[in-house]
Amino acid sequence: MSIKSEETSSTHSAINFSIIVAFRNEENNLSNFVQSLKSIQYPTSQFEIILINDHSTDASVERIQAFVDANAHVQLLYLNQKQTGKKAALQVGIDAAQFNYIITTDADCFVPENWLYTYSKKIQQTNAAAIIGSVGVTHTKTFLTRFQYYDLMALQAVGFAFANLNKPILCNGANFCYQKAAFLKVNGFQGNEKQPSGDDVLLLQKFVAAHLKIDFLIHQDNLVLTKAISELTPFVQQRKRWFYKTRHTSSILQKAMGLLLLTTNFSLLGLLIWSIFDISHIINLIVLLIVKLTIDFFLTFELAKKAKLPFCFTDFMIANLFYPFGIAMFFSYLTNSRIKWKQREYQS
């Protein structure tokens, strides 16, 4: 399946953007994030940055105050005591946005300097109501972080493939662009406010249900980088948030793909165990494994090529061979439906 990339042009600056960033306790990441915001190459009269503090208890505000004070196109907003959570923070930012095109990202990310130009050109070409951007993982020096690198790449490859078929099912709030008018048309996050996650995928499903035009962007100049999670416990908590939000999706296709993923990986595990006791099952195991690895490789490798991301075949193979075991281990954590994130607890 072919996935088209887009060329960047410094001549496309006719679109105005409001960059919305909700943050909580990001003091260790905000300095690098702000540095990337400073590097954005786009007329400052044509974009604004709105940072919303979700009751941070660390030195996050101190890390960005000088940046806010020195730039007229940057705002720092605060949630009041009755407001809490990422969706509430994004809602405050979107309400305050003066431009029609919203771009969301996260405070632990690094945005590319021609980021807005890529979106501007895409919008002028397609007039899309929403555009799914690409995200990559950095700081991949351990097995866990390398696993996240290829796992996220595979998820996006599947998401972009379906978007290419005009059946978008996945996006990432670290790089998601949409019209403020479209957000208001579908009543924003209404109905999903209590979910700790889903400010991206559940909103995308609303856009799909409203038959709005949705496109996607794969380009090195659009690629937002996010730090891999280095410790197992917060990684599991992140994946629990991702897993539980699929229970609230309205997309039958997304649920079907999730079921296919689980069935394939548990089938591999089952065939492996059965092969220990009955060697005749090993042929079925090998065939299923080859089919899965072949599909994953071609989708993932093409995405890496289009986005100019590093691709190591050995790391890819190790991550994919571990995946069935990782799925089984992850399900053992689901016996506890409590989710901990950003020093808060949520009931899934």
Side-chain angles (χ1 to χ4, degrees):
M1 183 175 296
S2 177
I3 300 177
K4 297 179 182 178
S5 63
E6 300 297 328
E7 297 299 324
T8 302
S9 172
S10 60
T11 62
H12 293 266
S13 59
I15 308 298
N16 298 331
F17 297 98
S18 295
I19 301 171
I20 311 294
V21 186
F23 68 91
R24 173 176 167 82
N25 295 345
E26 295 284 0
E27 65 175 346
N28 295 326
N29 298 312
L30 277 166
S31 295
N32 287 334
F33 176 59
V34 165
Q35 202 59 41
S36 72
L37 292 177
K38 290 179 179 178
S39 72
I40 291 176
Q41 300 296 307
Y42 206 74
T44 55
S45 62
Q46 292 183 239
F47 77 99
E48 62 179 345
I49 300 170
I50 303 176
L51 307 165
I52 309 95
N53 178 22
D54 178 15
H55 306 288
S56 294
T57 58
D58 63 2
S60 293
V61 172
E62 287 83 347
R63 292 284 189 274
I64 60 174
Q65 194 63 62
F67 173 62
V68 174
D69 293 342
N71 293 277
H73 67 295
V74 180
Q75 297 183 60
L76 174 58
L77 305 179
Y78 296 81
L79 293 188
N80 62 43
Q81 292 304 312
K82 294 182 180 180
Q83 299 167 316
T84 186
K86 185 177 181 181
K87 291 190 188 73
L90 291 174
Q91 183 70 61
V92 167
I94 293 169
D95 288 344
Q98 64 173 314
F99 298 131
N100 186 37
Y101 276 93
I102 305 295
I103 304 179
T104 62
T105 189
D106 296 326
D108 60 351
C109 292
F110 194 92
V111 303
E113 62 179 26
N114 287 316
W115 190 35
L116 302 187
Y117 280 120
T118 62
Y119 273 127
S120 180
K121 180 177 181 180
K122 189 70 169 179
I123 291 165
Q124 291 179 72
Q125 289 175 337
T126 67
N127 197 32
I131 302 172
I132 303 166
S134 44
V135 180
V137 173
T138 63
H139 297 75
T140 54
K141 296 182 179 180
T142 65
F143 172 77
L144 179 61
T145 55
R146 288 192 184 105
F147 175 80
Q148 292 170 66
Y149 179 84
Y150 288 98
D151 182 43
L152 180 60
M153 197 185 296
L155 284 173
Q156 288 189 99
V158 171
F160 287 134
F162 276 100
N164 199 39
L165 296 172
N166 294 317
K167 301 288 184 182
I169 59 172
L170 296 172
C171 64
N172 194 316
N175 195 7
F176 192 24
C177 175
Y178 47 85
Q179 293 173 346
K180 182 175 180 177
F183 179 84
L184 296 175
K185 180 178 180 178
V186 301
N187 296 315
F189 304 122
Q190 185 176 320
N192 301 315
E193 302 95 326
K194 295 182 180 180
Q195 302 306 315
S197 189
D199 54 277
D200 42 22
V201 172
L202 298 182
L203 181 61
L204 174 66
Q205 296 310 317
K206 284 190 165 191
F207 291 152
V208 172
H211 305 290
L212 299 178
K213 186 172 183 178
I214 301 167
D215 216 312
F216 64 98
L217 249 173
I218 305 173
H219 194 284
Q220 186 179 33
D221 287 338
N222 181 263
L223 183 70
V224 170
L225 299 176
T226 183
K227 284 175 62 176
I229 299 173
S230 59
E231 297 178 359
L232 181 61
T233 298
F235 169 71
V236 170
Q237 294 298 321
Q238 180 198 59
R239 296 313 165 101
K240 285 175 72 174
R241 289 189 302 117
W242 290 7
F243 174 80
Y244 281 121
K245 72 182 176 183
T246 61
R247 291 165 50 181
H248 303 278
T249 180
S250 59
S251 171
I252 296 175
L253 182 57
Q254 186 179 355
K255 290 180 178 180
M257 288 304 300
L259 182 61
L260 177 62
L261 172 69
L262 294 177
T263 302
T264 302
N265 284 283
F266 278 117
S267 295
L268 286 170
L269 275 179
L271 286 170
L272 176 62
I273 294 170
W274 290 337
S275 297
I276 295 173
F277 300 100
D278 185 350
I279 195 68
S280 65
H281 288 294
I282 199 166
I283 299 300
N284 294 330
L285 172 64
I286 292 172
V287 170
L288 181 58
L289 186 60
I290 289 175
V291 170
K292 179 183 182 298
L293 288 174
T294 301
I295 295 172
D296 287 349
F297 173 77
F298 281 108
L299 283 174
T300 308
F301 181 73
E302 184 176 7
L303 175 60
K305 183 172 63 175
K306 297 298 183 184
K308 298 184 179 178
L309 286 166
F311 188 94
C312 173
F313 183 75
T314 301
D315 287 344
F316 164 82
M317 289 295 294
I318 292 172
N320 272 267
L321 291 173
F322 172 77
Y323 207 92
F325 301 98
I327 289 285
M329 291 170 59
F330 171 73
F331 265 78
S332 69
Y333 287 99
L334 294 181
T335 55
N336 179 6
S337 60
R338 302 292 296 179
I339 299 173
K340 295 182 179 179
W341 195 251
K342 302 289 184 184
Q343 294 77 49
R344 288 181 176 138
E345 279 201 11
Y346 303 88
Q347 181 67 42
S348 64

